[in-house]
Amino acid sequence: MLLSTALVLIVGLVLGGICKKVKLPSLIGMLVTGIVLGPYVLDMLDPSLLAISADLRKIALIIILTRAGLSLDISGLRRIGRPAIMMCFVPATFELAGMLILGTGLLGLSLLESAIMGAVLAAVSPAVVVPRMVKLMDEKYGTNKGIPQLILAGASVDDVYVIVLFTTFTGMIQGDGVSAIRFVNIPVSIIAGVAVGMAAGIVMSKVFEKIHIRDTAKVLIVLSISMLLVKLEDMMDTPITFSALIAVMFIGVALQKFREPVAKRLSQKYNKLWVGAEIVLFVLVGACVNINYLGNVGIKAVIVILAALVFRMLGVWVCLLGTNLNMKERSFTMMAYTPKATVQAAIGGIPLALGLACGNIVLTVAVLAIVITAPLGAFAIDITYKKLLKKE
């Protein structure tokens, strides 16, 4: 596994750097690294590394979400109000509705199979979106109107909503029926996640105030508590749960509110952690991409993905009605809410593993969605934010 880890870091860093030099997002180089080194091309990654790939990707997500919380301006988000809440579920609902039309019309799927595919595709990727919104907040682009805060918060909650829908639809197709409690769990898990994260962050802020601890040790404590919360959510076997990833982000929010000087120093530490975590995350996402499926998709799958994005962008536009954002800012928000990667890599293969008739096509379209939207979405954000957003 040592050789595989070295290859992931070195090749990912080199190809990411090359992409950056030619004005492309570095994640493109990292995704290519994973695809090439992964089991479907050169097969140079140790199976033991791939076996813990999901856990490593989750740790990377924990790092970037904590970093986001340490930078998130809640007062700015509160000023936005209604659109911030709508961004959490309206764009995903629009995309899912679009997939019900497109999946049955173009791909010949049943309504329920189309709903499953829509739930897989409808999640925006926090791994692509969150670091870029943190960068915008650091550089003060669009922050006076709360644009990066709006996108960041929506991207974090969007996944919770979509995964609950995916679980419900796969249960229905297997004969479990519709469970109302699963839909009740969507707002409850979000609110509970906020409460758990704030409580953990307040306790840690009090501990850091009373006991002198080096900042590096504080990072390890925050990281460990965050991983414990994620594991706790995985272990819960109750109808009502809490969203651990939202809790992780609100640990950072609480630290920022109650120990701001410490939060600023920890944010710098997390910035350094993200350098390695970003490589691991995107290389391992790339390693999940089975390019053998891509040759079988055909033009219809590409049309479905792009058309579904139009539905998603329409949903974002609806969320922004009545706000003070101008056309440039609305256009940026619509583009920034399109990248897909982590959720699709995590759940795209589940229908196939369950033996569902739609399993192959769902996995194929999920893979294609990553390949198309992750680089394009990241590229669109990186090259347009200085032109479309005002610097505070």
Side-chain angles (χ1 to χ4, degrees), residues 102 105-108 297-306 365 368:
L102 299 163
L106 282 177
L107 299 178
V297 268
I299 193 66
K300 285 184 179 178
V302 178
I303 293 170
V304 164
I305 291 166
L306 296 178
V365 175
L368 196 60

Side-chain angles (χ1 to χ4, degrees), residues 91-97 99 116-125 158-159 161-162 165 312 337 339-340 343-344:
T93 303
F94 267 68
E95 188 169 6
L96 181 56
M99 189 54 68
I116 290 171
M117 179 178 284
V120 170
L121 289 188
V124 71
S125 173
D158 174 276
D159 291 355
Y161 172 61
V162 167
L165 291 180
R312 167 172 278 275
Y337 222 53
K340 302 168 187 304
V343 174
Q344 288 71 28

Side-chain angles (χ1 to χ4, degrees), residues 119-120 123 157-170 186 233 245 343 346-347:
V120 170
V157 178
D158 174 276
D159 291 355
V160 178
Y161 172 61
V162 167
I163 289 170
V164 170
L165 291 180
F166 173 76
T167 307
T168 302
F169 295 144
T170 50
I186 296 172
E233 184 195 16
L245 291 180
V343 174
I347 67 174

Side-chain angles (χ1 to χ4, degrees), residues 32 103 133 199 207 234 326 354 357 362 376:
V32 170
M133 294 308 107
V207 170
D234 290 341
N326 60 39
L354 292 174
V362 170
L376 280 181

Side-chain angles (χ1 to χ4, degrees), residues 92-286:
T93 303
F94 267 68
E95 188 169 6
L96 181 56
M99 189 54 68
L100 292 177
I101 300 167
L102 299 163
T104 52
L106 282 177
L107 299 178
L109 299 175
S110 70
L111 205 60
L112 193 49
E113 288 172 337
S114 298
I116 290 171
M117 179 178 284
V120 170
L121 289 188
V124 71
S125 173
V128 178
V129 172
V130 172
R132 280 162 176 78
M133 294 308 107
V134 172
K135 179 184 175 185
L136 263 62
M137 289 190 291
D138 290 342
E139 296 181 15
K140 304 292 184 186
Y141 275 94
T143 48
N144 58 331
K145 292 187 179 179
I147 294 168
Q149 297 97 310
L150 172 72
I151 296 169
L152 190 155
S156 304
V157 178
D158 174 276
D159 291 355
V160 178
Y161 172 61
V162 167
I163 289 170
V164 170
L165 291 180
F166 173 76
T167 307
T168 302
F169 295 144
T170 50
M172 287 170 63
I173 205 169
Q174 291 178 292
D176 293 348
V178 182
S179 173
I181 196 71
R182 285 177 176 163
F183 291 100
V184 172
N185 188 44
I186 296 172
V188 172
S189 65
I190 292 166
I191 295 166
V194 172
V196 169
M198 288 297 289
I202 290 168
V203 170
M204 280 188 273
S205 68
K206 297 298 181 186
V207 170
F208 296 159
E209 185 180 0
K210 300 292 183 185
I211 305 171
H212 175 71
I213 305 171
R214 290 181 59 188
D215 286 340
T216 303
K218 288 172 185 168
V219 168
L220 294 176
I221 292 169
V222 173
L223 197 54
S224 299
I225 297 295
S226 300
M227 288 190 285
L228 286 173
L229 289 175
V230 171
K231 182 61 180 175
L232 179 61
E233 184 195 16
D234 290 341
M235 290 169 61
M236 288 180 73
D237 195 23
T238 56
I240 299 295
T241 59
F242 74 100
S243 171
L245 291 180
I246 291 175
V248 165
M249 187 167 72
F250 273 84
I251 287 175
V253 171
L255 287 171
Q256 183 193 166
K257 183 173 178 62
F258 295 99
R259 294 289 291 162
E260 190 175 357
V262 171
K264 285 182 178 177
R265 297 200 302 272
L266 293 187
S267 182
Q268 292 172 354
K269 296 279 186 183
Y270 268 91
N271 288 348
K272 294 172 183 176
L273 268 180
W274 176 243
V275 173
E278 181 184 32
I279 298 169
V280 171
L281 175 61
F282 287 111
V283 172
L284 292 179
V285 166

